[in-house]
Amino acid sequence: MADLNTRTARLAARWLFTALLVGLVVWSVDGSALWQELGRISPFVLLPAFALTVLQVALSAWRWRYTVERLGLSLPLSAAIREYYLATFLNQVLPGGVLGDVNRAWRHGREAGERLSAMHGVAIERLSGQLVLALAVVVSVSWLFQAGQFAPRAIENGLWVVTGIAFLAFTAWAALRTGLSGGLLKGLADYLRLLRRDLFQSLLRWPVLPVQIGSSLLVLASYLGVFLCLAWGAGYLNSLEAAAVIVALGSILLLSMVIPLTLAGWGIREGAAAVVWPMVGLPAEQGVALSVGYGALVLVSSLPGMVFIVVGKLRLA
């Protein structure tokens, strides 16, 4: 009972922190201008945007199925789509943004009888997408700088962030070198050997790697397509260059959602939008409006996962 109360308190605290962060972002911009930008998004673009989210889940589920099959596990595509919807919904409502993926790895491992391989399958499938997203962000930022779109301000803050990450990585490496016993190091070495094998089998070897990159590019295109639909509905896409800028900035927002501090990236994504939109000469309210619209649309599109939960409980009853 105490553990349940503790988990409930932590979830409530994460919800509160997320709400405070979103409130802080809204407070930092012009509220009336933000509502005007939100009102500009036409409801007629919601249908193609929702269609893209369906394609997105189907492609992601296929990528997951392809990954675990390289590890010797079976996973029907229909089951993969169902589990992916369930994981997406849980990622939307539970802290960290990964508990849904942990759940689908556990459920698949229970069905397949290979928990470690199932866990690696989910982790590698997500890694495939994150690597392509990181590459897209590098290309996007490079293009924005080369095209003269990005102002040079905030580079100093970025250097502080990079320095902080490097310091944490060095601290973790030093702790592993000095604080672990020989037995634990041996167990870690054995696990890393298994992980390296699974990485090679399901991601790095030929011809798996191009398939992973291609499928991840399609998934990323579906994410960015949702941003483009919302921007089109708001009248922001008046030129090809404007569309390219929205794609570049949208990839940065997607990467910011990887930070597991809030629920489904809320607050962090909007904060990133409020920072990067003015850096290309666009109003912060435009970026925050697109970010809020994107978050709301993804939340609604994940509701089939809640339906699977209800149906599963009814079957148990």
Side-chain angles (χ1 to χ4, degrees):
M1 187 65 179
D3 291 340
L4 178 60
N5 291 334
T6 300
R7 289 196 296 267
T8 303
R10 288 177 178 174
L11 179 59
R14 193 66 69 95
W15 272 102
L16 179 60
F17 176 71
T18 301
L20 289 174
L21 197 55
V22 172
L24 178 63
V25 174
V26 172
W27 174 80
S28 67
V29 300
D30 187 333
S32 60
L34 175 59
W35 283 113
Q36 288 178 0
E37 296 294 338
L38 284 170
R40 292 183 59 176
I41 300 177
S42 170
F44 295 106
V45 302
L46 297 182
L47 183 59
F50 278 122
L52 281 173
T53 64
V54 174
L55 177 63
Q56 177 187 118
V57 171
L59 287 170
S60 300
W62 184 90
R63 182 180 62 187
W64 177 31
R65 178 173 180 260
Y66 179 82
T67 301
V68 297
E69 284 183 344
R70 307 285 78 73
L71 301 179
L73 304 181
S74 63
L75 179 64
L77 183 59
S78 59
I81 293 174
R82 181 188 68 238
E83 292 296 324
Y84 222 100
Y85 264 116
L86 176 59
T88 302
F89 173 72
L90 293 178
N91 285 341
Q92 289 291 312
V93 299
L94 294 178
V98 295
L99 293 181
D101 298 306
V102 173
N103 179 68
R104 68 180 165 102
W106 180 82
R107 286 164 61 91
H108 182 222
R110 183 185 61 184
E111 292 293 329
E114 291 286 345
R115 295 190 184 276
L116 184 61
S117 295
M119 181 183 71
H120 284 175
V122 170
I124 294 169
E125 179 260 330
R126 287 295 299 265
L127 176 64
S128 171
Q130 298 303 333
L131 289 176
V132 169
L133 174 58
L135 179 61
V137 170
V138 170
V139 172
S140 298
V141 172
S142 300
W143 175 76
L144 288 171
F145 271 111
Q146 187 178 15
Q149 297 280 356
F150 251 155
R153 58 182 176 273
I155 294 180
E156 182 179 351
N157 293 335
L159 290 176
W160 278 109
V161 172
V162 172
T163 303
I165 294 173
F167 174 76
L168 291 175
F170 175 78
T171 303
W173 174 81
L176 287 174
R177 291 283 295 179
T178 60
L180 295 176
S181 65
L184 185 57
L185 280 174
K186 182 179 183 302
L188 179 62
D190 292 339
Y191 170 73
L192 291 177
R193 190 157 43 245
L194 292 174
L195 178 60
R196 182 176 61 183
R197 180 202 64 189
D198 288 350
L199 273 171
F200 178 76
Q201 287 294 114
S202 61
L203 180 62
L204 300 178
R205 72 182 179 91
W206 185 267
V208 175
L209 181 59
V211 174
Q212 288 279 14
I213 293 176
S215 59
S216 294
L217 282 172
L218 290 174
V219 171
L220 178 59
S222 68
Y223 280 110
L224 296 174
V226 174
F227 277 107
L228 285 175
C229 281
L230 296 175
W232 175 48
Y236 300 149
L237 303 185
N238 52 14
S239 67
L240 185 60
E241 184 180 19
V245 170
I246 293 295
V247 167
L249 298 180
S251 66
I252 296 175
L253 297 193
L254 291 174
L255 187 62
S256 73
M257 294 172 60
V258 176
I259 303 173
L261 296 179
T262 62
L263 289 159
W266 280 97
I268 294 178
R269 180 182 60 238
E270 286 69 37
V275 171
V276 299
W277 251 254
M279 293 179 67
V280 296
L282 296 173
E285 293 78 13
Q286 181 188 118
V288 175
L290 283 178
S291 178
V292 170
Y294 175 85
L297 191 143
V298 171
L299 175 60
V300 174
S301 71
S302 71
L303 292 181
M306 184 177 67
V307 174
F308 292 136
I309 294 176
V310 174
V311 170
K313 289 185 175 181
L314 290 176
R315 286 178 177 174
L316 288 176

